[in-house]
Amino acid sequence: QVQLVESGGGLVQAGGSLRLSCAASGRTFSSYAMGWFRQAPGKEREFVGAINWSGNRRTYADSVKGRFTISRDNAKNTVYLQMNSLKPEDTAVYCCSAYTGGDYILGSPGAWGQGTQVTVSS
């Protein structure tokens, strides 16, 4: 079982930055890929990006490519989402997920955190 706790959300003006963190416990963190997803009011959950177990491969949704960066620190059991050049359309609840395997291509999202609210004002 994996437990995930996100933090770092808040209110920011358009063009600003935030860094989200997701702390994991309960399973060997370096054995699985991690992903970030978001859900805006009235919309379905949307994939944001993912990182493999070692951190040497990442993938992003087109909507955030070039603005968001995923990283991980396996020694701290934490994955991060650095968000720059934020836009009002980035407003959503952001959740992290632990994949079922070490590679996000072969695995699928499993355990989920509760999420953290990100609000971008215009």
Side-chain angles (χ1 to χ4, degrees):
Q1 291 283 46
V2 179
Q3 291 78 45
L4 303 170
V5 179
E6 300 94 339
S7 62
L11 173 64
V12 64
Q13 288 189 331
S17 299
L18 280 175
R19 189 175 83 152
L20 306 183
S21 299
C22 171
S25 62
R27 201 170 113 210
T28 304
F29 184 68
S30 59
S31 68
Y32 49 89
M34 293 292 297
W36 283 97
F37 295 76
R38 66 187 183 185
Q39 187 165 20
K43 295 187 177 181
E44 294 193 353
R45 186 164 56 199
E46 173 190 21
F47 171 77
V48 174
I51 187 168
N52 75 333
W53 68 274
S54 67
N56 66 351
R57 285 199 295 117
R58 303 167 178 86
T59 186
Y60 299 95
D62 288 343
S63 58
V64 306
K65 203 171 293 183
R67 300 188 297 122
F68 290 11
T69 302
I70 295 176
S71 61
R72 67 188 296 160
D73 185 338
N74 287 346
K76 295 183 178 180
N77 291 353
T78 302
V79 64
Y80 304 96
L81 181 66
Q82 177 67 44
M83 305 185 294
N84 299 329
S85 302
L86 282 162
K87 305 174 182 179
E89 51 264 43
D90 294 318
T91 295
V93 174
Y94 284 71
C95 295
C96 61
S97 179
Y99 277 62
T100 54
D103 193 314
Y104 50 78
I105 295 177
L106 300 177
S108 58
W112 295 89
Q114 292 295 312
T116 185
Q117 176 70 46
V118 171
T119 303
V120 184
S121 62
S122 57

